[in-house]
Amino acid sequence: MQKRILTLGVATLLSISCFAQNKLPKNANAVKFSQAINPTDAYKHLSILASDEFEGRDTGKKGAWMAADYIRDYFKSIGLKGPVDGGYFQKVDLINYAISQSLFTINGQPKEANKDFIIGTAAVGLNGFTFNTNDIVFAGYGISKDGYNDYDGINVEGKVVMIFANGDPTVKATDKMDARMAKMALGRKIFYLTQNKAKAVILIDPKIDNITDHYKESFLESDVMVKNEETTKRMQKQHPFVSISISTATANEIFKIAGTSIDAVQGKIMSTMKPASQNIEVAISASAMKTEMSVRGENVLGFLEGSDPKLKKEVLVLTGHYDHIGITPDVEGPDKINNGADDDGSGTTGVLLMAKAFMNAKKAGKGPKRSILFMTVIGEEKGLWGSEWYSEHPVFPLENTIANLNTDMIGRIGEEYLGKPDSANYIYSIGSNMLSTELGKLSEQVNNTYTKMKLDFKYDDPKDPERIYYRSDHYNFAKHNIPIIFYYDGMLQQDYHRPGDEVSKINFQLLTKRAKLTYFTAWELANRAKRPVVDKK
């Protein structure tokens, strides 16, 4: 008995000493089971999730469904339970509005949709559109600037205007625009017409002549959206500017009526460097309708029930978003797939690794006292949809949710740390002190005990111009006064939302160290006597 008392006394002294040094007593079991979080397994997961086969995991697309299936199957294989009526998918009610029919006629002669002309879903409101006109305004390249104005002396209000989709006669041929610049230039042309109350625009687009599947999809695939009252009201009020793209052959039919051609008007503009705008008497009619379609989308949930009869009703939620932005058909270069290895294949991988670590502990009889929900969410890139859906339709009561630890981009070195001594040993820790002083202190104690990384709190600044605190899934827990920590690598420029965000650029040692910091923090939260106190709003 004396030996036991002595042992307890030493343990107490060690504990007091650790807290005095802003540390926790190291838990041998936590360290033992953290071995499941390793670069080898991280690579196995991420090389699949961020492969070309998954097509950038765009919400509502095949690649995202493949990712959801992969995550579900993995959760099931390691023994996590499906908490949604026995399943692992929480359906998020997603819809899009696809073009159901479209019409374009010249002097009563119908043209063939998606060959002679194409009407994009973005140009069609919820209730569709129709118009008829007996004359149109041809306004060259649709440019209005000092020294050259296709609209000089022309009032476009209430008119159907035809322009070249691309090009600018005042720009030298050597100053070629890339796809992004061309899209911005077209946006400025359309903005001018909307501001000046034109009825519609007909865009002469040579890409329609031999339209590729990807280019066609960029017109016909509408943005997926969450179906709720707010979205429906917004769509009903929306009156988008009508835009119709036509082939050069279709354009020449119209020009022929005016006794000219594309080559003739372009040649005249280039030789004189003056606009060749004119009114063309031609009967044009156009219409399009939309149909609502349901789209598959789901959060993937795996549940580990706590071992303590009193504490297991309390739930810690670990999140990462598995979606990305898909394929960009008009990007320069042969690689058009945005693989999203870092954003957020890395954070999703972190969640899978932590799930394995905790399940190994559970199987060895060392599982957490509180329950843990491992949740990878959809639609983050669209507007934090999946996490918002969960916060509005929680599987476990929000009042029983003690905290959310969110990993979103944990696999690379951000711009501010490139070439610096801490480049391979830092993480931006965001929001740990926003709602709970206690959680903030615990986070630092865990780091000082286990991982000894540099915690950068830059983005906790209320004046942060990037507003990072509001830009990932943790925010949908924070707004319900649930304490959160958001772990982030700070990559905002290099390859961000570009095809260059590839698996080959991931630092797997750094990814796993950051995932371990999250895991050790989760271990403490899931096993300590009390949940973190919320003392701020």
Side-chain angles (χ1 to χ4, degrees):
M1 184 175 285
Q2 287 180 331
K3 184 177 181 180
R4 183 179 179 188
I5 292 173
L6 179 60
T7 302
L8 289 171
V10 171
T12 302
L13 289 172
L14 284 172
S15 178
I16 294 171
S17 173
C18 286
F19 276 101
Q21 298 174 32
N22 198 27
K23 289 185 177 182
L24 298 167
K26 187 172 287 189
N27 187 295
N29 286 320
V31 174
K32 175 183 177 181
F33 296 110
S34 72
Q35 294 174 10
I37 304 172
N38 59 73
T40 300
D41 287 347
Y43 178 80
K44 287 178 182 177
H45 290 306
L46 191 54
S47 62
I48 294 172
L49 291 169
S51 65
D52 284 354
E53 185 183 2
F54 281 50
E55 299 180 347
R57 309 186 305 278
D58 196 3
T59 296
K61 304 284 182 67
K62 181 181 75 170
W65 306 333
M66 293 171 68
D69 289 345
Y70 176 85
I71 296 164
R72 174 203 58 199
D73 292 346
Y74 183 72
F75 281 169
K76 188 175 182 179
S77 73
I78 63 175
L80 287 174
K81 301 300 182 183
V84 188
D85 298 325
Y88 296 84
F89 286 165
Q90 181 190 37
K91 185 180 185 301
V92 179
D93 201 354
L94 301 179
I95 55 170
N96 69 11
Y97 291 95
I99 295 285
S100 57
Q101 59 182 21
S102 59
L103 175 73
F104 185 79
T105 69
I106 302 173
N107 284 337
Q109 297 300 309
K111 309 309 294 180
E112 185 175 344
N114 305 327
K115 178 184 176 184
D116 302 322
F117 75 98
I118 190 165
I119 299 174
T121 53
V124 183
L126 186 60
N127 299 314
F129 78 84
T130 184
F131 73 75
N132 297 279
T133 184
N134 290 317
D135 67 314
I136 65 172
V137 174
F138 169 64
Y141 291 90
I143 293 168
S144 175
K145 63 182 180 181
D146 291 342
Y148 184 92
N149 184 2
D150 282 312
Y151 298 107
D152 189 23
I154 296 175
N155 180 6
V156 300
E157 184 174 351
K159 294 288 187 178
V160 176
V161 181
M162 184 169 74
I163 62 174
F164 294 115
N166 301 303
D168 182 341
T170 68
V171 175
K172 295 179 181 179
T174 53
D175 297 335
K176 184 181 178 182
M177 290 185 180
D178 62 21
R180 180 172 172 273
M181 293 171 62
K183 183 177 288 188
M184 291 174 64
L186 178 57
R188 289 192 293 270
K189 295 177 183 183
I190 292 178
F191 181 73
Y192 176 90
L193 292 170
T194 58
Q195 290 294 98
N196 288 274
K197 301 179 181 179
K199 179 186 290 185
V201 62
I202 298 173
L203 299 170
I204 304 169
D205 186 354
K207 289 184 179 180
I208 306 298
D209 296 349
N210 296 291
I211 192 166
T212 65
D213 289 340
H214 280 317
Y215 197 57
K216 188 187 297 182
E217 286 175 7
S218 70
F219 280 91
L220 298 180
E221 290 191 356
S222 64
D223 283 337
V224 176
M225 59 193 73
V226 177
K227 186 176 182 179
N228 54 29
E229 185 177 349
E230 179 184 346
T231 300
T232 302
K233 286 181 179 178
R234 176 167 55 82
M235 289 293 295
Q236 288 173 339
K237 292 179 179 178
Q238 186 180 12
H239 297 286
F241 185 65
V242 174
S243 172
I244 303 166
S245 295
I246 63 174
S247 67
T248 55
T250 305
N252 272 324
E253 284 189 43
I254 296 172
F255 279 124
K256 186 177 180 180
I257 294 168
T260 186
S261 67
I262 289 177
D263 290 342
V265 294
Q266 286 183 328
K268 183 178 179 180
I269 293 171
M270 295 306 297
S271 63
T272 64
M273 288 307 295
K274 292 181 180 180
S277 303
Q278 58 182 298
N279 193 73
I280 301 176
E281 293 186 2
V282 57
I284 299 288
S285 64
S287 64
M289 296 296 294
K290 272 184 176 178
T291 301
E292 180 181 304
M293 299 177 64
S294 179
V295 178
R296 175 186 166 185
E298 57 266 316
N299 297 326
V300 190
L301 284 61
F303 183 65
L304 192 166
E305 186 177 38
S307 60
D308 188 298
K310 293 182 179 179
L311 294 179
K312 67 180 182 180
K313 71 174 184 178
E314 296 183 350
V315 181
L316 169 66
V317 182
L318 305 183
T319 54
H321 72 90
Y322 69 88
D323 66 299
H324 194 53
I325 64 170
I327 298 172
T328 309
D330 57 353
V331 72
E332 295 293 325
D335 186 3
K336 302 182 186 302
I337 299 176
N338 301 280
N339 298 87
D342 192 35
D343 184 12
D344 181 34
S346 62
T348 299
T349 295
V351 173
L352 301 186
L353 297 174
M354 289 186 284
K356 184 66 162 62
F358 276 107
M359 279 306 300
N360 286 350
K362 175 78 171 181
K363 291 172 182 177
K366 305 295 181 181
K369 295 178 181 178
R370 289 182 175 83
S371 299
I372 301 179
L373 176 64
F374 301 90
M375 181 167 68
T376 60
V377 297
I378 191 66
E380 190 270 357
E381 301 289 4
K382 303 291 187 182
L384 314 186
W385 287 352
S387 55
E388 182 176 48
W389 187 268
Y390 181 85
S391 73
E392 294 173 353
H393 308 84
V395 175
F396 301 97
L398 293 184
E399 58 268 26
N400 292 350
T401 304
I402 68 163
N404 167 237
L405 305 181
N406 182 42
T407 49
D408 187 353
M409 301 172 65
I410 59 170
R412 290 184 63 174
I413 299 170
E415 290 80 12
E416 290 189 357
Y417 279 88
L418 286 173
K420 292 186 177 180
D422 294 316
S423 63
N425 195 45
Y426 81 95
I427 187 69
Y428 289 101
S429 175
I430 304 166
S432 61
N433 283 291
M434 290 290 194
L435 294 169
S436 172
T437 304
E438 187 177 352
L439 178 59
K441 289 180 179 178
L442 178 66
S443 172
E444 294 188 52
Q445 290 169 350
V446 167
N447 180 58
N448 290 337
T449 300
Y450 293 101
T451 47
K452 298 179 173 59
M453 302 187 77
K454 177 182 177 181
L455 301 183
D456 192 324
F457 300 102
K458 169 185 175 179
Y459 292 113
D460 279 347
D461 185 349
K463 297 180 180 179
D464 166 31
E466 300 291 344
R467 292 174 61 80
I468 297 295
Y469 176 68
Y470 303 92
R471 288 172 54 180
S472 191
D473 295 295
H474 61 279
Y475 182 67
N476 282 316
F477 291 89
K479 72 183 185 183
H480 290 282
N481 285 325
I482 295 170
I484 63 91
I485 304 177
F486 169 28
Y487 300 99
Y488 166 58
D489 61 23
M491 192 187 77
L492 272 175
Q493 300 299 327
Q494 46 170 336
D495 299 325
Y496 178 67
H497 283 194
R498 294 183 178 93
D501 186 5
E502 300 270 12
V503 174
S504 61
K505 298 178 182 179
I506 296 295
N507 184 326
F508 284 95
Q509 291 288 346
L510 189 52
L511 185 161
T512 52
K513 190 167 188 179
R514 289 162 171 168
K516 282 186 177 183
L517 171 61
T518 314
Y519 158 81
F520 285 124
T521 306
W523 185 283
E524 291 294 333
L525 287 168
N527 287 292
R528 66 203 320 256
K530 295 183 179 179
R531 61 192 290 175
V533 174
V534 177
D535 56 358
K536 301 177 183 179
K537 284 192 175 182

